[in-house]
Amino acid sequence: MSELLKVEGLSAGYGEAVVLNDVSFALGEGQTLALLGRNGTGKTTLINTLAGATRRHAGTISLGSVALHKLPSHERAAAGIGWVPQERNIFKSLTVHENLTAVARPGRWTPARVYEMFPRLGERKTNLGTQLSGGEQQMLAMGRALVVNPRLLLLDEPLEGLAPIIVSELLKAIARITREEGLSAIIVEQHPQAILAISDRAVVLDHGSVVHADTAAALRSSPELLDRLLGVAR
Amino acid sequence: MNAGTSPIARESLLRTARMKWWEPVLWIVLFALPKLIPSQAPIINETATWALFALSLDLVLGFAGIVSLGHAAFFGFGAYVAALFAQHVSPDPHVGLLVAIAATAVLGLFASLTVLRGSDLTRLMVTLGLALIMTELANKLEWLTGGTDGIQGLTIAPVLGRFQFGFDGIVASYYSLTLLLLFFLLARVVVNSPFGATLKAIRDNRLRAMAIGIPVNARLIAIYTLAAGIAGAAGAAFTQTLGYASMEVLSFDRSADVMLMVVIGGIGWLYGGVLGAIIFKVVQSVLSNITPQYWMFWIGLFLVVLVLVGRERLLKPWTWVKGTKA
Amino acid sequence: QDNVFKIGLILPMTGQQATTGRQVEAGVKLWMAQNGDTVAGKKVQLIVKDDASVPANTRRLAQELVVNDHVNVLAGMGITPSALAVAPIATQSKTPLVVMAAATSSITEASPFIVRSSFTLPQASVALADWAPKNGIKTVVTLVSDYGPGIDAEKFFKERFQFNGGKVTDSLRVPLMNPDFAPFLQKVRDEKPDALFVFTPSGAGAALMKQFGERGMDKAGIRLIGTGDITDDDQLNQMGDVALGVVTSHHYSTDHNSPMNKKFVAAFEKANPGLRPNFMAVGGYDGAHLIYDAIKKSGGKGGGEALVNAMKGDLFESPRGPIYIDAQTRDIVQNIYLRKVEKKNGQLWNVEFDVIKDVKDPGKTK
Amino acid sequence: MLTILFDGIAYGMLLFVLAVGLAVTMGLMNFINLAHGAFAMAGGYITVLLMQRLDVPFLVCLPIAFAGAALLGAVLEPPLYRPLYRKPHLDQVLFSIGLVFMAISAVDYYIGSTQQIMQLPAWLKGRTEIGSLGMGHYRLFIIAVCAALTVGLQYILAKTRFGSRLRASVDDQRVAAGLGINVNVVFLSTFAFGSGLAGLGGALGAEVLGLDPTFPLKFMIYFLIVVAVGGTSSITGPLLAALLLGIADVAGKYYIPKMGAFIVYTLMIVILLWRPNGLFVRQGGKA
Amino acid sequence: MNDVVLSCRGLVKKFGGITATNDVTLELRRGARHALIGPNGAGKTTLINLLTGVLEPTAGTIMLEGQDISRVAPHLRVRRGLVRTFQINQLFASMTPLQTLALVVSQQRGLGARWWRKLGQDAGVAERAQQLLEQFRLGEVANQRTEHLAYGKRRLLEIAIALACEPRVLLLDEPVAGVPAGEREELLETVAALPADVSVLLIEHDMDLVFSFANRMTVLVNGTVLTEGTPAEIEANPEVKTVYLGHGDEINEGLPLEGRSHV
Ligand SMILES: Nc1ncnc2c1ncn2[C@@H]1O[C@H](COP(=O)(O)OP(=O)(O)OP(=O)(O)O)[C@@H](O)[C@H]1O
Ligand SMILES: Nc1ncnc2c1ncn2[C@@H]1O[C@H](COP(=O)(O)OP(=O)(O)OP(=O)(O)O)[C@@H](O)[C@H]1O
Ligand SMILES: [Mg+2]
Ligand SMILES: [Mg+2]
């Protein structure tokens, strides 16, 4: 399996503040990575840095043969990044449909296919972004990242606020997409068990540094390790 | 509950409301000015009425979040009421002042009903529209207001029966400064009170304000009425110290200028209006003395630089070079 | 210090009245350049201030000029409310105030220290009301800007015109801030009077005249008459052919045919390239003349009262013709000319074709 | 009667052309650009000066006025406007008023404070009478230009993705960029386009409204009224608002001249009290 | 103690063509720990908005303590003890948590219109605010502006505000969203520990928490009430499984559902 994403010696933060410290890891094509860590350890900051929305101080990021860190934020989407920000950030003055078409790029994922995956969104096509329920906004954020037709999906707590049945379906869908379409994904979640089940690899952050990097299966099968790293036995 | 900690909470709550050491100093300096530089008394007087007017706008704009581009409606109304009172009823400045404040507050009460709903832009335009209509009225009701000529040559009785307004402007500037101080103290009490806190809550988040039981409309009406009254006081001071009222007191330029002053000085901070008025007036009069034709250019440049560099950083030049990248 | 004579000139140098300020200032400066700055042993110093047509500014500037700069004379005044706001200061400080632009009749009554070197609107409109009935104009609609001077013009024109047997069929007032004259002109067109009498502050006049032409009112047989403000010399040339044939009455035309005016215009245009002197410039020029005369007559001694007394009855030849200051009213008495816009050497001029001599301000002969 | 309607429409259309650029910058970009009138003034002066000094034909001047103002906008946007998009509205007001002051003085300094008067070509000066309907040719011309503009703009905003990409950038610059929208280019081109429209409006309006350095302040209120009443979320809103105001103003002044200036202001207040977010808001609007 | 405190009957809300709430009838008993669950977009938030008066119902009535409040202004409902939290934080950005809570306490005690006293001067206000700060572990950020707080802290403040209103009926809309896993239980315990006569309606997608908290549950689907019952009944309901909980075994592997055994 060829390597898709390679992060080396990455330090980044906001303004003068450095949140991430010398982070390095790699991810193969079609693989899913679970990004774990306690609150405020820098998970979102890492995702945002990959998307180009923070200030990078040092280090490199390469996506395939592209030196991602050299690109401005808006060119990273073209290079293959699809981003679901933690706070959803639905474009509030656009309709559901416009939210999708505004960022869509040609490829397998079209708005129509998104509506297939989330029928609920199809029914709300002409609603403004702000008129959606919390969960619907979450679905839209996901769909919006997909229609960019990325090679790497960045999902920041994508399950928050979704009904259990949707959660299970979404997890299945993510597993399917990555498997069938060779898409890679990085998923941040509060509930490690849920995503470790569908992930290939796991990275745990603490205080902005990588404290554990291994296969997901290994971490999942070791409750003591989970407890030590994340402070949750579940 | 830890009984030992509660005084701390109370302490830090009250701290914001406490007078800082520089405040009395500032006021002493302000009150000394007409004596120190008597030659500048006219502009001190004018600036003080502007500052009072700006204080009024800051109450609604800075503390209740209501944008108003027609605030001159209240200033002007107060000015005309004071003028008509002096012309037809009595030259007594004190009663005139009170009547003007009361009348303007009533006007504010009615006008407040128009600013309860809508976006910033809506309020901007509705208030602007009201002021424009008032201006037209002042023009049309010539028999009452003197039309464009205004009401001229008023005689105002001495303040406290002793101090006659003279053309040197000394008495006038003390009159206006005193009003400014009184209303400033009142405004200060109001914004630091629970009532003031509910206003800020409404400004920050109306939905939440409602959800904790604040009667949003009643509060907005109350503050708008109070602010209108203060603007009326400023207008009355204008008329009484200058001895006339004409349509300029209602003009769009006056509304716009007072807005500029409040924004220059910083909104949501009572000294903002006062400071803004001082800066604006001083800059304007210095510039227009240097270049009567093109002072507008320089004041424009001042505003542009003020915004681009930032109000705080303008006071700290050493941050200019470094900070621009952030 | 004692040998300095200070003139505090307050004018609108910015804002919509800025052109007034420029013309008056240029007029004053031209007089001073031509006549030197030493009069009766005094060095004349000019202090120019901008009030942006805000009376509160005018008043404060006057206060400062009197209190701090100890000016001997206040002058300028672009608009009536400014002049009225300054009047009490003139009275209290006994400083003469020479009004060089503002034109409402009542100004000189506001203080015994006010003297006017410009004109009054009643002066100009009454002359027109005398001329019109004699020239085939029997019915008129008046259209004036809705503010003091406009209402003055309407009132005095109407009174005199009806006294002379004419009929004013409608009186329209246009808001000062009015971007489009279409509805008013259409109304006039539908009423078909013999002539439309217009007063607008200079500036708006051009737009009105163009719309007048565009609407084909002249072809419908309606004549355009008005006070000279609408064919302001300052702008006349750019108005184009629509202005041709418009009859106005005023106290000054750049085209006035006198040796003195020829000299004045030449000197003015030399000092201010690209600018034609208009009636405002003459107001400034003659105002300065008046002040110089007063200094001379009072020998440079005596205060404000002496100066005002010296101005009263002052009589001299101005570029507009002979003028004098009525000793009782301190207002100007002058010839009012009837003029028609004509093209000469490819340029438009207000060509005078009749004159009514020594017109006093009718506003004061109640 | 018909003539009044016609005049009202023409006047409304003129207001629209002048205000539509503001509807773009203020409505779509959410930037309170009070300096809009300054760009209109630039367009007006470009036209007048080209015609007066170089005898350029009027029709040629119009696109030049558009391009000139657009260029001015494009030059000013990166250093001056871009840092301000995220600042509070009041700062934007302060800043753009400052620009207006500078523009007024600069024009005064270089060109002078007198009214500039434009000489239209002969074919635009005439008037056609059809029964009781009299139509000034210039007014017909304005209506035509304006109609073309409306159709074009509507197409750009509704049928192309540009409109939604622009609004997305306004809503959330950071996320829009992260999802592949080149926010800077979108803003720059929109701003330049809005300024260009203002310039065109100024060029067309100079004939009717007159042109002097105080132009940006004098007519600012009218631009704002149109945008506020029309709502800031579409092009048709301001168009209908401009037409409504134009017709009401002209008809009001014709039939009840005594009411003069009250009509427009009263109408505006009534509409805004009835529909606080403007007559025509995007369906649903802000919650 | 089993009397109905808050109820709605035949409640309908339409947004244009969308019927978000369709003939909902619901009763909340005194002291209830009631959960409202349902798929995304089922109309849960809308229902809360209707109950609290943020939205006006298209049809239907709402009764609080036996009185019809359908037409009562939102802030007056709060004064009668009907208090909510928001799914998306609604805070006063420029104030500190301390000021916010002092304000809410003042308002709650009817001192909100006092313009002549200082905020915090009235007896007991500062003390109560301090108590709430400590209860929600906001002590060390008490004097920072709210807009600069970390998300988790803001979430806590959101709930603290609701409690400061001394609710009789408390409506919680996904209160723990964004709160770290470890702290969620603790937060709900605070809520559960409210006086026994305070009624609570909880919306939440974290089934672990819901089943540990609620003693009664209502399931809302497509704007209508699908069923109502005890947690055990709901859990066993096959319909609820299909539309909301899901059947699949794979979810049990890691999803919070597993924790519900200790209900
Ligand atoms: N915009 C910002 N400016 C400055 N500091 C920030 C900003 N956003 C986050 N931080 C800080 O960066 C650190 C890491 O935050 P980040 O959001 O990456 O954490 P996280 O692991 O995603 O936490 P959570 O689980 O709560 O989402 C925190 O200490 C936070 O205070
Ligand atoms: N202002 C509005 N205009 C149009 N539709 C709306 C509006 N507000 C909500 N809706 C629709 O009403 C439905 C119910 O929304 P609501 O927010 O009540 O759902 P919810 O049950 O809270 O969902 P979630 O669990 O995802 O938060 C949704 O489909 C939503 O799209
Ligand atoms: Mg995060
Ligand atoms: Mg919800």
Side-chain angles (χ1 to χ4, degrees):
Chain A
M1 191 170 293
S2 61
E3 200 166 73
L4 176 70
L5 178 75
K6 192 167 174 63
V7 174
E8 268 176 305
L10 189 64
S11 297
Y14 306 90
E16 297 299 309
V18 180
V19 176
L20 291 180
N21 231 323
D22 196 16
V23 170
S24 305
F25 67 94
L27 184 65
E29 194 119 31
Q31 283 196 327
T32 302
L33 180 136
L35 182 59
L36 306 171
R38 295 172 213 244
N39 254 83
T41 51
K43 304 182 294 290
T44 299
T45 309
L46 177 55
I47 294 284
N48 291 357
T49 307
L50 295 178
T54 62
R55 183 139 162 213
R56 188 181 57 91
H57 295 283
T60 59
I61 309 166
S62 41
L63 186 73
S65 57
V66 184
L68 208 58
H69 57 276
K70 289 191 182 146
L71 299 182
S73 186
H74 67 266
E75 285 176 23
R76 297 190 187 190
I81 296 282
W83 180 31
V84 178
Q86 181 169 11
E87 289 173 59
R88 297 162 192 159
N89 302 71
I90 298 305
F91 301 129
K92 62 182 191 297
S93 52
L94 298 188
T95 62
V96 169
H97 193 64
E98 286 168 338
N99 259 287
L100 296 175
T101 53
V103 301
R105 285 172 189 279
R108 302 178 187 218
W109 283 96
T110 57
R113 202 166 154 208
V114 170
Y115 298 141
E116 238 168 73
M117 178 157 142
F118 301 115
R120 190 83 212 169
L121 288 183
E123 294 162 22
R124 293 285 180 272
K125 251 188 202 172
T126 56
N127 277 38
L128 290 185
T130 39
Q131 294 171 338
L132 295 182
S133 83
E136 290 164 349
Q137 291 190 17
Q138 185 68 59
M139 298 173 201
L140 181 55
M142 180 81 171
R144 197 176 55 177
L146 284 173
V147 294
V148 171
N149 283 297
R151 301 161 72 187
L152 174 64
L153 264 180
L154 306 175
L155 307 175
D156 200 344
E157 307 203 7
L159 309 180
E160 190 65 62
L162 290 180
I165 188 163
I166 307 251
V167 167
S168 66
E169 274 170 22
L170 194 63
L171 283 174
K172 275 188 263 174
I174 292 173
R176 199 177 54 237
I177 294 166
T178 49
R179 211 175 318 118
E180 290 171 9
E181 301 186 12
L183 208 63
S184 305
I186 300 181
I187 312 181
V188 178
E189 245 312 309
Q190 297 278 2
H191 302 289
Q193 292 292 3
I195 48 164
L196 283 175
I198 62 156
S199 299
D200 304 295
R201 305 198 56 82
V203 166
V204 181
L205 289 182
D206 196 13
H207 287 97
S209 303
V210 178
V211 290
H212 177 92
D214 200 350
T215 62
L219 187 60
R220 190 162 163 242
S221 56
S222 164
E224 320 80 69
L225 190 58
L226 261 182
D227 190 34
R228 187 162 56 77
L229 290 171
L230 301 171
V232 274
R234 307 193 287 122
Chain B
M1 176 178 45
N2 184 343
T5 53
S6 26
I8 300 174
R10 167 181 287 232
E11 181 64 11
S12 52
L13 276 174
L14 296 181
R15 190 163 45 224
T16 42
R18 192 164 308 132
M19 192 152 293
K20 313 281 183 306
W21 64 266
W22 52 267
E23 294 185 60
V25 177
L26 178 79
W27 285 103
I28 290 170
V29 170
L30 285 181
F31 270 82
L33 279 180
K35 279 273 180 264
L36 291 178
I37 35 171
S39 63
Q40 298 301 322
I43 190 141
I44 294 171
N45 173 43
E46 195 178 320
T47 308
T49 54
W50 274 109
L52 184 56
F53 186 29
L55 178 74
S56 154
L57 182 63
D58 200 18
L59 281 180
V60 288
L61 176 64
F63 290 92
I66 303 177
V67 199
S68 165
L69 196 50
H71 218 54
F74 304 119
F75 183 92
F77 190 73
Y80 272 104
V81 170
L84 290 170
F85 184 85
Q87 193 179 30
H88 299 295
V89 186
S90 144
D92 184 307
H94 314 94
V95 185
L97 179 70
L98 292 178
V99 169
I101 292 174
T104 315
V106 171
L107 178 71
L109 181 66
F110 285 110
S112 68
L113 301 178
T114 64
V115 297
L116 298 177
R117 300 201 303 157
S119 64
D120 283 357
L121 179 63
T122 321
R123 295 211 183 110
L124 203 76
M125 297 314 293
V126 169
T127 50
L128 172 64
L130 283 179
L132 290 172
I133 287 179
M134 295 275 294
T135 317
E136 270 310 301
L137 277 177
N139 187 21
K140 290 266 181 199
L141 303 178
E142 209 191 340
W143 56 271
L144 183 68
T145 61
T148 29
D149 291 353
I151 302 169
Q152 304 278 355
L154 298 169
T155 36
I156 305 290
V159 181
L160 301 175
R162 280 185 53 197
F163 306 104
Q164 181 66 49
F165 293 124
F167 69 87
D168 59 4
I170 304 275
V171 174
S173 50
Y174 276 111
Y175 185 69
S176 302
L177 278 173
T178 309
L179 283 181
L180 176 62
L181 177 60
L182 290 179
F183 281 108
F184 186 90
L185 292 175
L186 173 68
R188 203 192 145 84
V189 169
V190 168
V191 301
N192 287 319
S193 69
F195 173 83
T198 62
L199 291 179
K200 285 178 235 172
I202 293 169
R203 175 195 66 191
D204 281 2
N205 192 333
R206 190 185 268 246
L207 180 63
R208 188 50 184 251
M210 244 184 268
I212 59 170
I214 298 175
V216 172
N217 287 350
R219 293 293 148 80
L220 290 182
I221 290 173
I223 191 67
Y224 206 72
T225 306
L226 172 68
I230 296 179
F238 174 96
T239 292
Q240 294 176 338
T241 56
L242 300 186
Y244 81 95
S246 76
M247 278 171 55
E248 53 148 335
V249 295
L250 289 162
S251 71
F252 170 69
D253 297 31
R254 184 167 287 271
S255 297
D257 283 356
V258 76
M259 177 111 128
L260 291 184
M261 288 175 189
V262 173
V263 181
I264 288 173
I267 64 166
W269 178 52
L270 286 179
Y271 282 101
V274 179
L275 213 67
I278 295 174
I279 295 173
F280 192 82
K281 270 319 209 191
V282 169
V283 169
Q284 189 188 39
S285 84
V286 167
L287 287 178
S288 73
N289 272 342
I290 300 172
T291 159
Q293 289 193 20
Y294 304 113
W295 61 268
M296 261 185 130
F297 181 87
W298 301 107
I299 213 163
L301 187 65
F302 168 73
L303 296 179
V304 167
V305 170
L306 180 77
V307 175
L308 286 181
V309 174
R311 208 172 286 108
E312 299 77 30
R313 283 203 291 143
L314 202 59
L315 302 173
K316 305 177 198 156
W318 58 91
T319 56
W320 291 3
V321 188
K322 220 177 90 198
T324 38
K325 293 188 205 109
Chain C
Q1 270 297 313
D2 238 16
N3 261 341
V4 181
F5 187 94
K6 289 185 184 167
I7 303 174
L9 184 64
I10 312 175
L11 287 165
M13 306 300 289
T14 56
Q16 292 192 43
Q17 257 76 40
T19 41
T20 303
R22 304 291 164 80
Q23 288 270 1
V24 174
E25 187 199 16
V28 172
K29 287 197 164 152
L30 179 62
W31 174 266
M32 292 178 64
Q34 287 177 337
N35 294 277
D37 56 3
T38 320
V39 190
K42 296 241 177 185
K43 188 151 173 52
V44 180
Q45 188 192 337
L46 184 70
I47 307 174
V48 183
K49 300 271 178 179
D50 169 36
D51 66 2
S53 304
V54 176
N57 288 349
T58 328
R59 188 184 149 106
R60 173 173 50 78
L61 292 169
Q63 268 175 317
E64 289 173 358
L65 285 170
V66 169
V67 176
N68 303 344
D69 297 309
H70 305 287
V71 294
N72 303 76
V73 171
L74 287 167
M77 310 293 120
I79 57 171
T80 304
S82 289
L84 293 177
V86 174
I89 295 178
T91 312
Q92 284 178 44
S93 65
K94 302 196 195 318
T95 310
L97 171 63
V98 178
V99 175
M100 296 173 166
T104 307
S105 174
S106 61
I107 291 176
T108 47
E109 289 159 12
S111 162
F113 286 86
I114 294 182
V115 178
R116 173 156 35 203
S117 70
S118 52
F119 74 113
T120 75
L121 267 175
Q123 245 174 1
S125 21
V126 161
L128 195 61
D130 284 338
W131 173 84
K134 293 186 209 138
N135 289 274
I137 295 173
K138 299 282 177 262
T139 56
V140 165
V141 172
T142 63
L143 190 155
V144 302
S145 285
D146 192 0
Y147 75 129
I151 294 164
D152 256 11
E154 176 194 293
K155 179 167 151 237
F156 284 94
F157 177 83
K158 198 165 161 180
E159 266 177 26
R160 181 66 71 99
F161 185 63
Q162 283 172 341
F163 175 81
N164 288 338
K167 201 167 154 217
V168 173
T169 53
D170 202 355
S171 292
L172 302 173
R173 292 182 184 175
V174 185
L176 258 186
M177 271 286 294
N178 187 63
D180 190 6
F181 288 102
F184 297 100
L185 288 178
Q186 186 61 36
K187 199 164 177 75
V188 175
R189 194 170 193 270
D190 294 346
E191 292 186 15
K192 287 202 177 37
D194 294 335
L196 171 67
F197 170 84
V198 173
F199 170 83
T200 65
S202 66
L208 185 130
M209 211 161 323
K210 283 211 285 190
Q211 295 192 16
F212 186 86
E214 190 212 315
R215 205 153 285 271
M217 317 256 301
D218 40 354
K219 293 191 190 82
I222 303 170
R223 296 174 72 179
L224 184 62
I225 59 176
T227 62
D229 306 76
I230 54 168
T231 55
D232 187 346
D233 282 303
D234 202 3
Q235 296 176 18
L236 181 59
N237 220 357
Q238 296 159 34
M239 291 183 193
D241 294 351
V242 284
L244 281 177
V246 175
V247 172
T248 55
S249 58
H250 224 209
H251 56 286
Y252 176 69
S253 158
T254 318
D255 186 53
H256 180 68
N257 197 2
S258 76
M260 173 154 198
N261 186 45
K262 294 248 152 65
K263 254 178 62 197
F264 167 72
V265 173
F268 188 96
E269 287 181 342
K270 186 150 171 271
N272 306 280
L275 206 60
R276 256 193 203 181
N278 69 358
F279 60 99
M280 297 294 182
V282 171
Y285 188 77
D286 291 343
H289 188 164
L290 197 56
I291 296 171
Y292 270 45
D293 277 4
I295 305 174
K296 272 184 215 147
K297 277 195 218 161
S298 63
K301 289 182 282 290
E305 272 155 2
L307 285 168
V308 172
N309 284 333
M311 289 182 199
K312 285 181 187 167
D314 194 13
L315 182 152
F316 56 84
E317 170 82 10
S318 141
R320 54 182 125 168
I323 60 172
Y324 77 92
I325 302 298
D326 184 337
Q328 254 111 54
T329 61
R330 286 160 280 104
D331 219 330
I332 188 165
V333 179
Q334 58 191 331
N335 295 345
I336 298 294
Y337 305 90
L338 286 151
R339 316 96 52 88
K340 184 185 249 164
V341 180
E342 287 175 19
K343 201 172 229 169
K344 292 200 287 191
N345 319 326
Q347 301 214 341
L348 295 180
W349 302 95
N350 284 304
V351 179
E352 296 170 353
F353 64 85
D354 204 353
V355 58
I356 300 169
K357 290 225 156 91
D358 299 335
V359 182
K360 285 193 171 188
D361 174 29
K364 306 225 171 55
T365 49
K366 283 168 195 151
Chain D
M1 169 60 207
L2 278 178
T3 309
I4 287 300
L5 189 65
F6 171 80
D7 284 339
I9 292 175
Y11 177 47
M13 289 284 200
L14 184 62
L15 286 182
F16 173 71
V17 182
L18 276 164
V20 65
L22 187 64
V24 169
T25 44
M26 191 150 108
L28 301 178
M29 290 172 77
N30 196 22
F31 185 91
I32 308 262
N33 184 20
L34 295 185
H36 179 75
F39 291 96
M41 176 168 73
Y45 272 101
I46 289 175
T47 308
V48 169
L49 294 183
L50 283 179
M51 287 175 70
Q52 278 178 3
R53 309 219 168 141
L54 301 176
D55 280 326
V56 181
F58 180 63
L59 276 188
V60 179
C61 288
L62 290 183
I64 299 181
F66 177 88
L71 188 69
L72 188 65
V75 169
L76 292 184
E77 198 264 359
L80 295 181
Y81 281 87
R82 190 172 299 166
L84 286 172
Y85 292 139
R86 270 178 280 182
K87 294 225 175 157
H89 278 167
L90 286 176
D91 276 1
Q92 298 172 355
V93 167
L94 205 61
F95 167 82
S96 50
I97 277 279
L99 276 190
V100 171
F101 287 171
M102 292 172 71
I104 289 178
S105 291
V107 169
D108 191 353
Y109 183 79
Y110 286 108
I111 305 173
S113 60
T114 45
Q115 278 270 348
Q116 298 294 325
I117 296 163
M118 191 159 77
Q119 289 307 330
L120 288 178
W123 59 275
L124 280 176
K125 274 185 179 170
R127 185 177 171 84
T128 303
E129 303 270 347
I130 306 171
S132 67
L133 170 65
M135 295 180 296
H137 290 169
Y138 189 64
R139 284 172 195 252
L140 270 178
F141 179 71
I142 289 179
I143 294 179
V145 171
C146 178
L149 261 184
T150 314
V151 174
L153 278 176
Q154 194 58 36
Y155 178 80
I156 293 177
L157 291 177
K159 289 284 176 323
T160 69
R161 275 201 316 174
F162 188 82
S164 40
R165 290 170 82 89
L166 168 62
R167 285 195 298 256
S169 309
V170 173
D171 284 349
D172 195 328
Q173 285 192 38
R174 202 174 60 103
V175 172
L179 287 165
I181 299 176
N182 191 342
V183 175
N184 285 346
V185 167
V186 168
F187 280 164
L188 177 71
S189 40
T190 311
F191 188 81
F193 187 64
S195 308
L197 286 176
L200 182 63
L204 284 171
E207 160 73 11
V208 179
L209 304 177
L211 186 64
D212 65 80
T214 58
F215 185 91
L217 276 183
K218 216 169 15 177
F219 295 106
M220 188 168 82
I221 295 174
Y222 287 85
F223 309 150
L224 288 173
I225 292 180
V226 169
V227 176
V229 172
T232 50
S233 53
S234 68
I235 294 302
T236 34
L239 173 69
L240 294 176
L243 285 179
L244 181 71
L245 289 172
I247 295 172
D249 191 42
V250 170
K253 283 174 177 162
Y254 182 84
Y255 290 107
I256 19 175
K258 291 237 155 23
M259 286 297 291
F262 288 109
I263 292 170
V264 171
Y265 304 144
T266 317
L267 191 66
M268 171 183 83
I269 293 179
V270 169
I271 290 179
L272 287 181
L273 289 182
W274 169 51
R275 282 280 184 93
N277 290 313
L279 263 187
F280 311 95
V281 271
R282 225 171 139 71
Q283 141 259 322
K286 290 154 211 148
Chain E
M1 280 283 280
N2 244 3
D3 50 340
V4 174
V5 182
L6 176 70
S7 69
C8 61
R9 202 162 301 282
L11 216 50
V12 179
K13 178 67 194 179
K14 293 190 174 159
F15 295 108
I18 298 168
T19 308
T21 307
N22 192 1
D23 193 20
V24 169
T25 298
L26 188 78
E27 288 184 343
L28 197 62
R29 292 174 186 284
R30 192 177 303 284
R33 299 293 180 262
H34 198 129
L36 181 64
I37 61 172
N40 296 114
K44 304 180 293 294
T45 302
T46 307
L47 182 61
I48 295 222
N49 284 339
L50 290 170
L51 293 174
T52 52
V54 172
L55 293 174
E56 243 184 67
T58 314
T61 52
I62 304 163
M63 310 281 283
L64 180 66
E65 308 266 13
Q67 281 171 315
D68 187 347
I69 57 162
S70 319
R71 298 276 171 268
V72 171
H75 69 269
L76 295 178
R77 301 187 197 195
V78 180
R79 289 206 195 154
R80 296 190 190 186
L82 180 59
V83 178
R84 70 175 294 186
T85 65
F86 290 85
Q87 184 168 3
I88 295 158
N89 286 341
Q90 302 289 344
L91 301 170
F92 305 127
S94 72
M95 296 196 200
T96 66
L98 174 60
Q99 286 169 341
T100 304
L101 292 174
L103 160 69
V104 180
V105 173
S106 300
Q107 178 64 39
Q108 164 60 27
R109 299 188 177 178
L111 310 173
R114 293 202 174 189
W115 58 265
W116 59 94
R117 302 271 294 183
K118 287 180 185 156
L119 178 66
Q121 213 176 13
D122 289 291
V125 170
E127 288 69 20
R128 174 72 182 131
Q130 176 76 20
Q131 191 186 359
L132 283 160
L133 284 173
E134 277 160 24
Q135 190 177 354
F136 285 89
R137 295 210 248 115
L138 289 164
E140 70 266 39
V141 295
N143 290 312
Q144 287 175 22
R145 274 166 78 97
T146 301
E147 60 193 337
H148 296 321
L149 297 185
Y151 183 79
K153 295 289 181 197
R154 279 187 269 161
R155 199 68 207 154
L156 292 174
L157 181 58
E158 171 76 34
I159 297 161
I161 291 176
L163 289 193
C165 290
E166 313 287 341
R168 313 283 313 134
V169 179
L170 181 59
L171 311 177
L172 299 166
D173 195 356
E174 301 198 24
V176 302
V179 174
E183 292 175 27
R184 296 180 166 205
E185 287 77 8
E186 211 170 330
L187 203 124
L188 271 192
E189 273 159 28
T190 318
V191 174
L194 283 172
D197 60 341
V198 173
S199 321
V200 181
L201 181 70
L202 169 74
I203 297 178
E204 185 52 64
H205 289 299
D206 187 332
M207 286 306 110
D208 199 9
L209 291 174
V210 168
F211 281 94
S212 70
F213 174 83
N215 49 27
R216 196 147 187 92
M217 297 175 74
T218 298
V219 184
L220 205 62
V221 177
N222 278 332
T224 32
V225 177
L226 177 72
T227 176
E228 196 187 311
T230 63
E233 286 164 14
I234 297 297
E235 195 184 4
N237 187 323
E239 249 181 312
V240 177
K241 274 212 170 107
T242 345
V243 299
Y244 185 66
L245 297 175
H247 300 279
D249 294 322
E250 69 271 57
I251 37 167
N252 271 339
E253 290 191 41
L255 280 184
L257 284 175
E258 65 181 16
R260 70 185 196 253
S261 46
H262 58 75
V263 174

